[in-house]
Amino acid sequence: ACVSVRACVHVCVHVCLYLFCTHALWAAFNNWTEGAPLPQVGRITLPKSPIEAGLKARLQSKIAENNDGDDDDDEDGEAFPFGEVGGSSLVPKPVLAPGKTLLTIWIEKIGLKDATHHINPFFAVSVKDTFGTDFATAQTTPLATGRSDLYLNFKQEVFLDIAVEDIPDDCAIFFELRHYKQKKNKMSTRCFSFLEKDEIKEGQSNLELYRKPTNFKRRKVNLLTVKPLYLYLNLTLTRR
């Protein structure tokens, strides 16, 4: 009698398990056919090997070296009038008050990896504070006078119609290289440099080149290229 009871209990347990599993499978099938999402298995992320990490770092360094920041999508969205092309708006040599210092800037050349590819390049020169407010007449130079594999030559003299003493301490002199983009049929800023007031000294000055858009706050600026290419200036200070 005990054996038969145990057998019956054993059979009942197996039947219950069978019915439970069948019900669970049928419910899952109904959910799937009705469009309910099935449980997702988590993605396993394997740690990167030192070799893979090293190759990625070298690739990023190579991309930064070859990228001069001149992409087809203008970050700054600038579009300048065509009246700037082929002309200039340089101010004549000003007559300052006695005791004031005149700054004369000689723009010699600018170094670019693809200097020969630029159409109608010229400089926009301005004196601005961190809010972009002008403290002198904004000027544009004539087009570059010549070019080579790595340089655009300007050989252009620029006068500021503000005395050095009158330039506020938070201002800087900005040099924006602009050129014509044929694909977008507009003028675009290629890169920019700036000269802060405490850097205004007699003699040669080689300025670093930074990626657009022009950052008047002068914080967190990004170099245009890792190559040793600069904007080459010569500064002359004349005291009245």
Side-chain angles (χ1 to χ4, degrees):
C2 293
V3 174
S4 58
V5 170
R6 289 178 180 177
C8 289
V9 170
H10 187 73
V11 170
C12 288
V13 169
H14 278 76
V15 169
C16 290
L17 288 174
Y18 174 79
L19 292 175
F20 176 80
C21 294
T22 303
H23 180 268
L25 290 173
W26 180 252
F29 176 78
N30 286 335
N31 287 338
W32 177 69
T33 55
E34 293 174 359
L38 293 176
Q40 299 294 321
V41 179
R43 180 179 295 179
I44 300 176
T45 303
L46 298 177
K48 294 182 179 180
S49 67
I51 296 177
E52 183 181 358
L55 289 174
K56 183 177 180 180
R58 289 178 61 186
L59 177 61
Q60 291 176 341
S61 175
K62 194 66 177 178
I63 292 174
E65 179 180 352
N66 291 330
N67 183 13
D68 275 350
D70 189 28
D71 47 27
D72 287 335
D73 297 327
D74 290 324
E75 299 173 9
D76 49 7
E78 291 176 317
F80 303 103
F82 287 101
E84 291 185 344
V85 182
S88 67
S89 60
L90 295 179
V91 301
K93 184 176 181 179
V95 178
L96 302 180
K100 298 292 186 177
T101 303
L102 171 67
L103 172 62
T104 305
I105 304 171
W106 178 261
I107 302 178
E108 179 66 26
K109 60 183 178 180
I110 183 173
L112 295 170
K113 185 187 71 172
D114 53 351
T116 57
H117 297 165
H118 292 77
I119 303 174
N120 294 336
F122 64 95
F123 273 104
V125 182
S126 59
V127 180
K128 296 180 183 289
D129 63 7
T130 55
F131 297 101
T133 304
D134 284 300
F135 280 81
T137 302
Q139 309 178 58
T140 55
T141 70
L143 304 181
T145 58
R147 63 187 71 204
S148 61
D149 291 340
L150 292 176
Y151 296 100
L152 290 173
N153 299 314
F154 283 86
K155 301 185 183 300
Q156 181 62 53
E157 192 174 50
V158 178
F159 301 104
L160 296 185
D161 56 1
I162 182 174
V164 175
E165 295 85 357
D166 296 335
I167 299 177
D169 292 336
D170 66 337
C171 284
I173 306 170
F174 285 86
F175 303 87
E176 301 173 79
L177 180 65
R178 297 174 182 173
H179 67 120
Y180 174 65
K181 274 196 170 180
Q182 194 167 13
K183 286 184 179 179
K184 297 199 172 185
N185 192 32
K186 73 172 187 177
M187 302 302 297
S188 173
T189 298
R190 175 69 165 87
C191 60
F192 73 99
S193 298
F194 58 84
L195 183 71
E196 296 184 322
K197 185 175 180 179
D198 59 0
E199 297 174 322
I200 300 177
K201 299 176 182 178
E202 184 89 19
Q204 185 174 346
S205 180
N206 300 339
L207 304 183
E208 292 180 329
L209 308 177
Y210 300 107
R211 292 176 182 267
K212 60 184 180 182
T214 306
N215 184 348
F216 299 121
K217 295 185 181 297
R218 311 188 297 277
R219 296 176 183 174
K220 297 181 180 179
V221 292
N222 299 309
L223 287 173
L224 178 69
T225 176
V226 297
K227 300 179 184 298
L229 299 173
Y230 306 96
L231 171 60
Y232 298 87
L233 307 176
N234 198 287
L235 309 179
T236 302
L237 299 174
T238 306
R239 190 175 181 84
R240 287 269 296 168

